[in-house]
Amino acid sequence: MGNTKELDERYKEIQTIDFQKDQKYNTAVNILSIVLAIITYVIGNAIVPISTLLTSDNNEYFSRLWMIVVGLALYIILMQILRSSCIYSNSHESAKMGFRGLSGYAGSEYYFNKVTYLYIRLLPFITAFIVLIILCMRFDTALFWVPYFVMLYHIASSGSDFYIIYILSKLPQDVMVQDIGTSMKIYGKK
């Protein structure tokens, strides 16, 4: 079935995930995010020791810290704009955007087929990953950790994307997904 505003009677709800209240989801995502953050940190520290960020005069240190904060804010906003664009390109309706804790979300009342929903989940992740890798390669050693901290946040915060992809990988190809940003429902044929 293609993407649609309304499901036909052949579909029934088979799973609901409330991103704010579902303890199983939150526990799994938090553990995965911590593991991803540690791995990302270890890789970054092997490339350029974090001491290069910390061993500078106070003006440089606070300037870099400020650049990291601004970079994270821009990242959060741009990721939701990109995800909203993916939603719009597949539904021709504007996505609802908002913030949940330290991250943003974009959602829609639309029902997306599995392949389209995976595209909506993965394209922003892959695009940001490539841009951040390029930025890390372009910055000199002294500034490497500025985009890399954004990369670390990006990979750690993508734990939810990886968990949702895992859940969807176990379901039939013909499922439909409605993700309103703060929760999602998965529908399967009766």
Side-chain angles (χ1 to χ4, degrees), residues 15 23 26-27 32 36 49 51 53 63 86 89 99 117-119 125 127 129 145 151 157 163 174:
Q15 189 169 0
Q23 288 299 64
N26 285 325
T27 301
L32 181 57
L36 290 170
S51 60
L53 175 69
S63 174
C86 290
S89 72
F99 290 93
Y117 185 72
L118 290 173
Y119 161 81
F125 171 79
T127 303
F129 184 77
W145 279 94
M151 169 85 80
S157 66
Y163 184 75
D174 61 356

Side-chain angles (χ1 to χ4, degrees), residues 63-111:
S63 174
R64 291 177 193 165
L65 185 61
W66 177 244
M67 291 188 324
I68 290 169
V69 169
V70 169
L72 286 170
L74 284 173
Y75 161 81
I76 291 169
I77 292 166
L78 291 174
M79 280 295 287
Q80 299 330 305
I81 291 171
L82 183 54
R83 184 160 283 147
S84 295
S85 298
C86 290
I87 290 170
Y88 182 82
S89 72
N90 287 284
S91 69
H92 302 291
E93 290 191 4
S94 296
K96 292 184 284 185
M97 294 192 301
F99 290 93
R100 175 178 65 234
L102 292 175
S103 62
Y105 66 83
S108 171
E109 297 286 334
Y110 229 76
Y111 299 90

Side-chain angles (χ1 to χ4, degrees), residues 129-140:
F129 184 77
I130 291 168
V131 168
L132 289 167
I133 289 284
I134 292 168
L135 286 174
C136 287
M137 292 184 330
R138 302 278 302 158
F139 279 55
D140 65 5

Side-chain angles (χ1 to χ4, degrees), residues 1 8 10-12 14 172 174-176 187-190:
M1 180 173 191
D8 62 42
R10 296 177 299 155
Y11 284 87
K12 67 174 182 161
I14 58 174
D174 61 356
V175 298
M176 299 294 286
Y187 296 85
K189 286 188 177 177
K190 294 179 183 176

